[in-house]
């Protein structure tokens, strides 16, 4: 019965016969590499089958594991995010410590270079009013601080101490509207007074119209004011308006970045001009 | 009965192929087994054609020094195709039969030689001409054989009728 059925399906029979013949031929023929064709073809076909099965299983496995993993991924994500935040904070702390160490190293270098009696102080507060450019440092009269002491940093002049308390002191920054310092153009030795604008810039007043001043000149303290020791950097000349008056209008870009001040040095040694002034005041 | 006739026909063709070619010059190019396969396929259908073709081809392969199965595969295909032609078209006149034999020989030669060449086992110096001559020869012998076999039953019947009439 089955044989009769097959006989009525010659196409099926042909397929079987062809496959049988191919198998028989393959069993006898070797490939160019010397391996039997049957072995190569069988292995190739089986390998493809294995590849398909493996990819199917892998796909299902991936889908399943992906689904299962998704169930726990939210908690894991939250934990990882918290960990990342903690690490970011820690990184910032480390960076801050490194920056602080660098700042302190520069301060120490300045202290040694300046050969002045100084004390390091940390800025603990900024100005309470935007109209005034002052900061508060963490050292006061108990540390030997007095009014009109110069405050410097590795970059240059910061300002002067205007109000010492026992354990803290207020420092008027050089860029404050009421601040001023005796200044000198380093290159030409032209003198003047560096005053604050209250905006973050400085102006150098009383520079003679005949003085040799140009943009890029370094402005340093002259020391004649009795507060700031001589030779400390104030800034660089930004622009010079020679105009028609008696004096030049000189704009100075401060050397100190006041927005990122953290540590400063307070100069404890009185300047010679101050000593002279105090001696003159004494009866 | 049909199976026995088929087996006998193949055996006869093989015997003819292996003996006649040594005695009669020019018959070496003919493929008697192929002729028998085409004949059986045309008269019995594709299933019989491919089975007979396959078996005959395998036997022919086993008797030759070639790769077993190449001739079998070629004759399987030929048997199937000839059987199909026999069921789809009316192949009773000598010319269509001649053409079927021609086509069958061409298909057989193409598959047989093609497989050998593809497998890099053998080269054929002038395949087209040899196939062409074989096709013509097979077609001629096949058509004649067909006519003879068809004429034989009538001849026997007429002879019997004459004997009866004389008595």
């Amino acid at each position: 019965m089955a044989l009769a059925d097959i006989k009525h399906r010659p196409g099926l029979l042909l397929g079987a016969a062809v496959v049988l013949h191919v198998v028989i031929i393959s069993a006898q023929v070797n490939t160019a590499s010397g391996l039997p064709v049957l072995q190569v073809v069988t292995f190739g076909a089986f390998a493809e089958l294995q590849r398909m099965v493996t990819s199917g299983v892998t796909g299902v496995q991936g889908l399943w594991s992906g689904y299962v993993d998704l169930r726990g991924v939210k908690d894991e994500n939250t934990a990882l995010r918290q960990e990342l935040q903690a690490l970011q904070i820690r990184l910032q702390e480390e960076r801050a410590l490194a920056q602080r160490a660098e700042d302190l190293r520069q301060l120490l270098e300045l202290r040694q270079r300046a050969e002045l009696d100084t004390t390091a102080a940390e800025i603990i507060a900024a100005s309470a009013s935007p109209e005034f450019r002052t900061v508060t440092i963490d050292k006061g009269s108990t540390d030997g601080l007095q009014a009109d002491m110069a405050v410097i940093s590795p970059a240059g002049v910061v300002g002067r101490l205007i109000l010492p308390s026992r354990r803290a002191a207020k420092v008027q920054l050089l860029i404050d509207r009421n601040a001023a310092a005796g200044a000198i153009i380093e290159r030409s030795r032209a003198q003047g007074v560096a005053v604050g604008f209250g905006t973050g810039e400085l102006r150098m007043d009383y520079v003679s119209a005949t003085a040799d001043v140009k943009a890029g000149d370094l402005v340093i303290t002259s020391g004649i004011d009795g507060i700031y020791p001589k030779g400390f950097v104030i800034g660089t000349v930004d622009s010079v308006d020679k105009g028609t008056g008696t004096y030049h209008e000189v704009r100075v870009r401060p050397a100190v970045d006041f927005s990122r001040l953290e540590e400063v040095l307070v100069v404890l040694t009185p300047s010679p001009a101050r000593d002279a002034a105090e001696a003159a005041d004494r009866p | 009965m049909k199976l026995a006739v088929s087996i006998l026909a193949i055996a006869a063709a093989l015997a003819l192929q292996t003996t006649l070619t040594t005695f009669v010059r020019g018959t070496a190019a003919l493929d008697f087994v192929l002729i028998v396969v085409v004949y059986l396929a045309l008269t019995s259908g594709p299933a019989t054609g491919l089975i007979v073709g396959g078996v005959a081809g395998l036997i022919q392969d086993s008797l030759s020094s070639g790769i077993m199965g190449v001739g079998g595969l070629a004759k399987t295909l030929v048997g199937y195709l000839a059987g199909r032609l026999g069921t789809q078209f009316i192949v009773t006149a000598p010319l269509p039969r001649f053409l079927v034999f021609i086509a069958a020989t061409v298909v057989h030669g193409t598959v047989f030689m093609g497989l050998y060449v593809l497998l890099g086992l053998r080269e054929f110096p002038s395949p087209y001409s040899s196939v062409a001559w074989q096709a013509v020869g097979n077609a001629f012998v096949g058509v004649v054989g067909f006519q003879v076999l068809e004429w034989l039953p009538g001849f026997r019947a007429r002879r019997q009728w004459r004997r009866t009439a004389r008595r």
Side-chain angles (χ1 to χ4, degrees):
Chain A
M1 186 66 187
L3 191 66
D5 283 346
I6 289 170
K7 213 172 173 184
H8 287 108
R9 290 173 183 161
L12 200 67
L13 204 58
L14 176 70
V18 169
V19 168
L20 181 69
H21 280 96
V22 168
V23 169
I24 291 169
I25 294 166
S26 303
Q28 304 164 76
V29 181
N30 288 347
T31 59
S33 58
L35 294 167
V37 169
L38 183 63
Q39 194 179 352
V40 171
V41 170
T42 308
F43 176 73
F46 197 67
E48 288 304 314
L49 187 70
Q50 283 176 319
R51 192 199 304 275
M52 283 165 62
V53 170
T54 305
S55 66
V57 169
T58 309
V60 171
Q61 206 174 20
L63 196 71
W64 176 252
S65 60
Y67 170 73
V68 170
D69 286 348
L70 275 176
R71 292 168 62 194
V73 81
K74 191 179 174 185
D75 295 339
E76 192 182 350
N77 195 19
T78 308
L80 284 171
R81 198 168 285 175
Q82 286 172 349
E83 192 179 343
L84 178 68
Q85 284 173 348
L87 285 171
Q88 282 176 333
I89 290 167
R90 193 171 164 188
L91 179 67
Q92 285 176 20
E93 285 172 357
E94 294 290 334
R95 272 193 191 147
L97 279 173
Q99 185 61 47
R100 186 178 165 86
E102 175 61 20
D103 290 348
L104 290 171
R105 187 185 65 77
Q106 288 179 351
L107 273 178
L108 187 63
E109 275 181 13
L110 174 68
R111 193 171 176 175
Q112 288 166 350
R113 193 174 66 229
E115 293 179 352
L116 294 167
D117 187 13
T118 57
T119 181
E122 190 177 353
I123 292 173
I124 55 172
S127 174
S129 168
E131 300 297 321
F132 299 96
R133 306 301 300 264
T134 58
V135 291
T136 304
I137 57 174
D138 64 345
K139 287 190 175 169
S141 56
T142 52
D143 300 296
L145 268 57
Q146 296 173 13
D148 287 335
M149 282 183 168
V151 180
I152 56 174
S153 77
V157 176
V158 173
R160 70 182 177 113
L161 207 145
I162 53 170
L163 183 61
S165 65
R166 278 188 72 245
R167 295 176 59 192
K170 186 173 280 185
V171 176
Q172 182 189 50
L173 301 179
L174 195 58
I175 52 172
D176 186 79
R177 197 182 296 274
N178 298 319
I184 189 171
I185 303 294
E186 190 189 39
R187 182 181 59 83
S188 63
R189 314 309 292 180
Q191 295 206 5
V193 178
V195 296
F197 265 5
T199 58
E201 283 189 339
L202 295 169
R203 189 180 70 223
M204 193 167 169
D205 288 345
Y206 308 113
V207 178
S208 170
T210 59
D212 179 16
V213 186
K214 61 182 180 183
D217 280 344
L218 193 67
V219 181
I220 57 174
T221 51
S222 63
I224 60 167
D225 51 34
I227 297 171
Y228 301 103
K230 189 177 179 179
F232 279 83
V233 178
I234 292 175
T236 50
V237 175
D238 205 22
S239 65
V240 181
D241 186 2
K242 295 191 174 174
T244 54
T246 314
Y247 303 107
H248 286 316
E249 284 185 20
V250 182
R251 296 267 179 151
V252 177
R253 187 168 59 245
V256 175
D257 182 1
F258 293 97
S259 63
R260 58 178 298 272
L261 268 180
E262 288 178 8
E263 287 94 17
V264 292
L265 285 180
V266 181
V267 181
L268 299 172
T269 309
S271 69
R274 186 175 170 181
D275 281 346
E278 282 176 355
D281 285 347
R282 268 191 236 113
Chain B
M1 181 63 185
K2 207 178 205 177
L3 182 68
V5 170
S6 298
I7 290 168
L8 276 174
I10 292 166
L14 282 167
L16 208 63
Q17 189 79 39
T18 51
T19 55
L20 193 66
T21 52
T22 55
F23 297 110
V24 184
R25 212 178 150 191
T27 54
L30 298 175
D31 191 340
F32 292 104
V33 179
L34 180 67
I35 294 167
V36 170
V37 168
V38 172
Y39 172 81
L40 290 172
L42 283 173
T43 52
S44 306
T48 305
L50 75 92
I51 291 169
V52 169
V55 173
L58 283 173
I59 295 169
Q60 210 174 7
D61 285 334
S62 67
L63 294 173
S64 68
S65 58
I67 297 294
M68 184 96 169
V70 176
L73 181 60
K75 283 185 173 62
T76 300
L77 290 170
V78 166
Y80 175 77
L81 292 172
R84 274 278 169 208
L85 281 172
T87 55
Q88 299 293 321
F89 303 99
I90 300 168
V91 192
T92 52
L95 184 62
R97 284 175 179 167
F98 189 84
L99 293 174
V100 169
F101 276 109
I102 293 273
T105 308
V106 170
V107 170
H108 179 268
T110 305
V111 174
F112 188 85
M113 292 180 188
L115 271 173
Y116 269 107
V117 172
L118 273 175
L119 294 169
L121 299 169
R122 201 173 144 186
E123 287 181 1
F124 298 89
S126 50
Y128 300 110
S129 61
S130 63
V131 169
W133 282 115
Q134 191 187 50
V136 173
N138 285 347
F140 182 76
V141 174
V143 170
V144 171
F146 241 115
Q147 293 301 118
V148 169
L149 288 171
E150 281 180 346
W151 176 73
L152 269 177
F155 174 75
R156 285 174 62 189
R158 279 195 298 275
R159 196 176 169 185
Q160 276 183 350
W161 180 77
R162 274 179 202 156
R163 279 179 187 170
T164 311
R166 278 179 197 164
R167 287 173 193 166

